[in-house]
C-alpha cells in the first residue's frame, strides 16, 4: 500500500478492510516518515504497532 492510499483510508467514513500479515487491522495514523503507520488489531485488544505501509494490504 502507498502513503496516498493510507491517507484516503484514514479520511474515509467507510469501513475499509486492511490486513497486516494476514491479520485484520485498523490504521490509526500515517507516521511522519511516510513509510510507516501505527495500527492496532480489530477486536478487544488495542495493542498498537508500527508497521511498514508496504506490508499493509487492502482486502
Amino acid at each position: 500500500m502507498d502513503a496516498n492510499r493510507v491517507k484516503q483510508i484514514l479520511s474515509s467514513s467507510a469501513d475499509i478492510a486492511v490486513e497486516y500479515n494476514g491479520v485484520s487491522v485498523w490504521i490509526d495514523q500515517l507516521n511522519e516518515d511516510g513509510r510507516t503507520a501505527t495500527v492496532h488489531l480489530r477486536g478487544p485488544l488495542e495493542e498498537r504497532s508500527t508497521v511498514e505501509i508496504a506490508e499493509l494490504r487492502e482486502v
Side-chain angles (χ1 to χ4, degrees):
M1 185 173 296
D2 65 28
N4 285 333
R5 185 61 185 142
V6 171
K7 289 176 188 175
Q8 290 172 351
I9 290 171
L10 286 169
S11 65
S12 174
S13 61
D15 182 3
I16 299 170
V18 175
E19 289 185 348
Y20 173 70
N21 288 341
V23 178
S24 186
V25 297
W26 289 106
I27 302 173
D28 296 315
Q29 70 180 28
L30 178 63
N31 296 328
E32 289 183 18
D33 63 14
R35 296 184 346 264
T36 61
T38 302
V39 302
H40 70 272
L41 297 177
R42 289 183 181 237
L45 297 176
E46 293 215 3
E47 181 179 333
R48 285 170 168 65
S49 301
T50 299
V51 301
E52 295 284 330
I53 61 171
E55 297 178 30
L56 295 173
R57 187 172 67 87
E58 190 172 345
V59 290

